[in-house]
Amino acid sequence: MTGRLRLGVNIDHVATVRNARGGAHPEPLRAAQIAAGAGADGITAHLREDRRHITDRDIEQLMAEIALPLNLEMAATDEMLAIALRHRPHAACIVPERRQERTTEGGLDAKGNRDTLRPIVSRLADAGIRVSLFVEATPAQVEAAVALAVPVVEFHTGRYAHSDAANREVELRRIADMAALAAKNGIEPHAGHGLTFDNVQPVAAIPQIAELNIGHFLIGEAIFTGLSGSIARMRALMDEAR
Ligand code: PXP
């Protein structure tokens, strides 16, 4: 049977808007509180090396004030490892990070960076943090995740979300096949990036996928319908697809 699909709400872009004026409004913490009331199962925040949106203080506040599990997105660096070990969020999703990129543009090369990742994954895991790797849905990346013994992979849905109708089916198939392969190997598959009301349902219908992490669209749509409204509609579409 297909289980309930969890929704992790990524609040990075609440911080983007706040930082545009350098003040305190709008507060990511308040967004997280509203998300909790609107049907989110978790909060996701990416503490980037350049602190362009989420800040260290945001992570402190989220950890202190939010009852929902926090999924900390982080680059595989010593600085981020130390921060994760200090806060001990429920989960840490390791993402690739390049300063010049506008957003996380591709998956982590878990296969090519296995030796760098191994000690980071094991220190996070030893601290009781559920480790996830944000990867492209390919057999090589799933195999690397198996070798690193992570409990979770998050498949990058950017190519699916941004491809034309002809290629979208191919991208979807790839994600579905890799979700099945991950689950067969005891790894819980998640997915995220670029998901919207229009494209979420085929991904939500993949039975092995346990969680979607969605940010930019939900925060953008909140301008028109309010944050509770945008999250509730996403939640309803996900449940319907299941
Ligand atoms: N998952 C990961 C690992 C991400 O890096 C991002 C983007 O920050 C998302 C999910 C959410 O993507 P979007 O903001 O496009 O919904």
Side-chain angles (χ1 to χ4, degrees):
M1 212 187 94
T2 306
R4 183 174 184 276
L5 179 60
R6 295 193 303 270
L7 170 60
V9 173
N10 180 316
I11 55 170
D12 291 352
H13 295 301
V14 177
T16 303
V17 175
R18 175 199 56 197
N19 295 359
R21 287 293 172 94
H25 184 271
E27 257 193 334
L29 176 62
R30 187 168 158 209
Q33 286 160 339
I34 291 172
D41 300 289
I43 298 298
T44 294
H46 184 176
L47 184 67
R48 293 187 75 106
E49 190 190 7
D50 62 10
R51 310 301 199 268
R52 70 175 70 160
H53 38 55
I54 294 292
T55 62
D56 300 67
R57 180 165 157 68
D58 290 327
I59 298 298
E60 259 166 49
Q61 285 189 323
L62 292 166
M63 283 301 298
E65 313 253 351
I66 293 293
L68 289 181
L70 179 70
N71 174 30
L72 175 69
E73 289 181 6
M74 55 174 271
T77 64
D78 290 342
E79 182 199 14
M80 289 301 149
L81 176 63
I83 291 170
L85 293 176
R86 194 161 69 243
H87 289 294
R88 298 185 182 228
H90 166 77
C93 180
I94 303 181
V95 300
E97 207 176 290
R98 285 191 301 277
R99 270 177 185 257
Q100 311 85 319
E101 70 188 356
R102 236 183 294 170
T103 179
T104 313
E105 281 163 2
L108 185 72
D109 181 8
K111 182 178 158 71
N113 292 296
R114 238 159 61 178
D115 293 342
T116 315
L117 289 170
R118 197 180 297 282
I120 295 180
V121 167
S122 66
R123 289 198 58 199
L124 291 168
D126 289 349
I129 301 168
R130 197 158 190 243
V131 184
S132 162
L133 302 178
F134 185 50
V135 294
E136 293 298 330
T138 65
Q141 296 303 333
V142 175
E143 280 158 24
V146 173
L148 285 163
V150 290
V152 177
V153 287
E154 181 171 327
F155 291 124
H156 191 300
T157 47
R159 272 176 35 190
Y160 159 79
H162 300 127
S163 59
D164 55 23
N167 290 314
R168 188 169 281 193
E169 280 306 310
V170 177
E171 292 298 330
L172 183 65
R173 185 77 263 152
R174 200 163 62 85
I175 296 164
D177 288 348
M178 290 308 107
L181 181 64
K184 203 173 122 197
N185 282 282
I187 296 180
E188 185 176 283
H190 297 177
H193 204 90
L195 297 176
T196 69
F197 293 158
D198 289 338
N199 65 24
V200 74
Q201 287 201 310
V203 179
I206 297 170
Q208 296 86 358
I209 290 187
E211 179 174 308
L212 299 181
N213 282 299
I214 309 181
H216 183 266
F217 179 82
L218 287 176
I219 304 305
E221 189 64 13
I223 293 169
F224 307 112
T225 65
L227 187 55
S228 294
S230 72
I231 293 171
R233 170 124 183 85
M234 189 62 83
R235 178 78 264 166
L237 288 166
M238 287 164 55
D239 291 345
E240 189 186 283
R242 219 68 170 171

